[in-house]
């Protein structure tokens, strides 16, 4: 009988052997990539557990298909299923144009308070990359998912709301930074201590659990001192307060050096570890994007705010082959709710062509299996994907960049992965 995943009082998921998991096929290329991915997921689970474990999939609607069938972009029944069954997975969704929900993905994150956007960036041998040494790129990004500019607090110039806010800022607070007040639109950037701490706490816990050497807080606090600068400071304070001798922070490093009368060089913090401790350091966002190209081996776990995380996720994905092979998840580690998703768009002109790479949704499924504790099946798929790519039997995105490769359809690529399990 199908069963529900639950969250235990110890903040540990309770996963039965036959859990029910909702899925959204997605729009555009969504059905093609999902049908290939789900066959691989099922085959790996069967091979790993010999029928003792199995996912009971239930289809729910969102996006264009939902609108066509129900008149709603995100039906209440879908949101209910995501809440009720805790773990779910989805393909890419169309964002409605001209009113309604700003973004279905943002709506999901806000409604379920999925405060972590988790994006692991890993290189598979043989994947075409613009990097000289893409094998040095291995990072996991913890992007804050509910605050920052993406909170959606914006006012268009000329509206009564914009005029009221502008009047308050100019006349009540004495702000003189508006060069063209008559044509200025306004946005608000909320960054809270609680939101920052829960994100950075999750990143540090992940680094400890996975025995990773460092957590880097990426920010633009040199300019935005009370939002992004506070994010950095709250992160350091939390690390020292809650993790004790499990971490060693850049702040502690600076204090130690200064107490000894020595100058502090940023490069000194790049040591892999101090004893068994994880290094907590920070980097200005623009410098980090440069260093991620020049010295990616110096970084393992990244904790950052929403907008920076959006840029960084796609930039790092490009270093290992693009978002076609980049998985993602949106997680609330307190309630257990998690939505695993393809990180790319719907690519509507390729819909129903059976030609696109299913690795983003498939590797998101691997993340889901790991989150559930079904690591044997997850590792089986990861190895099989690597073997398939090394054999140069690939979909068109990689085929166009490889020499002597064999072009496969989406479904055929799924078949080849299953053969390599």
């Amino acid at each position: 009988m199908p069963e529900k995943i639950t969250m235990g009082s110890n903040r540990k998921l309770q996963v039965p052997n036959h859990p029910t998991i909702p899925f959204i096929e997605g729009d555009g290329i969504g059905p093609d990539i999902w049908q290939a991915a789900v066959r691989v997921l099922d085959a790996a689970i069967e091979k790993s557990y010999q029928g003792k474990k199995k996912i009971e999939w239930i289809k729910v609607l969102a996006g264009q298909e939902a609108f066509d069938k129900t008149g709603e972009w995100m039906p209440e029944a879908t949101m209910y299923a995501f809440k009720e069954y805790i773990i779910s997975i989805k393909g890419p969704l169309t964002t409605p144009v001209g009113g309604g929900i700003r973004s279905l993905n943002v709506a999901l994150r806000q409604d379920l308070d999925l405060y972590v956007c988790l994006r692991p960036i890993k290189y598979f041998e043989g994947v075409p990359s613009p990097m000289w040494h893409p094998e040095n790129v291995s990072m996991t990004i913890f992007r804050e998912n509910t605050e920052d500019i993406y909170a959606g607090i914006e006012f268009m110039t000329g509206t009564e709301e914009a005029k009221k806010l502008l009047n308050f800022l100019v006349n009540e607070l004495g702000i003189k930074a508006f060069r063209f007040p008559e044509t200025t639109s306004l946005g608000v950037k909320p960054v809270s201590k609680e939101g920052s701490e829960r994100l950075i706490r999750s990143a540090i816990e992940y680094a400890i659990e996975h025995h990773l050497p460092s957590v880097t807080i990426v920010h633009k606090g040199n300019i935005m001192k009370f939002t992004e600068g506070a994010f950095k400071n709250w992160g350091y304070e939390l690390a020292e307060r809650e993790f004790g001798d499990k971490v060693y922070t850049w702040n502690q490093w600076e204090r130690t050096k200064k107490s000894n009368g020595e100058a502090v060089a940023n490069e000194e913090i790049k040591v892999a570890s101090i004893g068994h401790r994880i290094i907590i350091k920070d980097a200005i966002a623009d410098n980090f994007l440069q260093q991620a190209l020049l010295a990616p081996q110096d970084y393992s776990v990244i904790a950052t705010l929403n907008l920076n995380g959006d840029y960084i996720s796609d930039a790092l994905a490009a270093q290992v082959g693009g978002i076609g092979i980049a998985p993602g998840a949106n997680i609330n580690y307190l309630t257990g709710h998690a939505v695993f998703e393809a990180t790319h768009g719907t690519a509507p002109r390729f819909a129903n062509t059976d030609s696109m790479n299913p690795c983003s949704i498939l590797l998101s499924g691997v993340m889901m299996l790991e989150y559930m504790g079904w690591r044997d099946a997850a590792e089986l798929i990861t190895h099989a994907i690597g073997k398939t790519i090394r054999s140069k039997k690939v979909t068109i995105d990689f085929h166009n960049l490889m020499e002597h490769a064999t072009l496969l359809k989406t479904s055929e690529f799924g078949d080849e992965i299953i053969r390599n399990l």
Side-chain angles (χ1 to χ4, degrees), residues 261-272:
E262 301 174 57
V264 181
N266 289 354
E267 289 75 14
E268 293 185 47
I269 204 66
K270 292 179 182 177
V271 293

Side-chain angles (χ1 to χ4, degrees), residues 347-364:
R349 68 192 182 102
F350 296 108
N352 304 312
T353 62
D354 194 23
S355 62
M356 295 291 100
N357 190 336
C359 278
S360 181
I361 187 69
L362 178 54
L363 287 168
S364 297

Side-chain angles (χ1 to χ4, degrees), residues 19 29 49 58 98 103 134-135 167 171 195 201 221 252 262-263 326 334 394:
I29 64 172
Y49 306 113
I58 57 167
S103 163
E135 68 277 5
N167 181 68
N171 296 319
R201 181 183 296 112
Q252 290 170 323
E262 301 174 57
L334 301 176
V394 292

Side-chain angles (χ1 to χ4, degrees), residues 180-297:
F180 308 104
E182 297 303 316
T183 58
T184 295
S185 290
L186 298 168
V188 179
K189 179 186 178 76
V191 177
S192 70
K193 183 177 182 180
E194 292 85 353
S196 300
E197 286 187 341
R198 66 180 183 174
L199 182 280
I200 295 168
R201 181 183 296 112
S202 297
I204 295 173
E205 289 174 344
Y206 182 93
I208 292 171
E209 180 184 351
H210 292 82
H211 308 289
L212 297 171
S214 68
V215 174
T216 304
I217 302 169
V218 178
H219 61 93
K220 195 63 180 168
N222 57 328
I223 304 299
M224 293 172 274
K225 299 182 187 299
F226 305 128
T227 51
E228 305 223 356
F231 175 78
K232 178 199 76 170
N233 293 335
W234 291 329
Y236 277 133
E237 291 166 6
L238 173 121
E240 294 184 18
R241 183 178 70 246
E242 294 190 8
F243 293 93
D245 61 0
K246 293 181 180 179
V247 303
Y248 196 87
T249 71
W250 195 328
N251 281 352
Q252 290 170 323
W253 183 269
E254 289 178 327
R255 290 197 296 268
T256 300
K257 298 290 285 184
K258 287 177 181 177
S259 67
N260 293 332
E262 301 174 57
V264 181
N266 289 354
E267 289 75 14
E268 293 185 47
I269 204 66
K270 292 179 182 177
V271 293
S273 64
I274 297 177
H276 63 284
R277 297 185 184 187
I278 290 169
I279 300 297
I280 310 296
K281 53 185 176 176
D282 73 272
I284 303 296
D286 45 346
N287 183 56
F288 170 78
L289 287 168
Q290 176 181 227
Q291 293 303 316
L293 292 169
L294 298 175
Q297 67 277 2

Side-chain angles (χ1 to χ4, degrees), residues 70-90:
T70 70
E72 297 180 278
W73 292 100
M74 180 65 73
E76 286 187 20
T78 298
M79 194 63 77
Y80 173 82
F82 277 32
K83 291 178 180 177
E84 186 72 9
Y85 294 101
I86 295 189
I87 290 177
S88 50
I89 188 168
K90 57 176 279 296

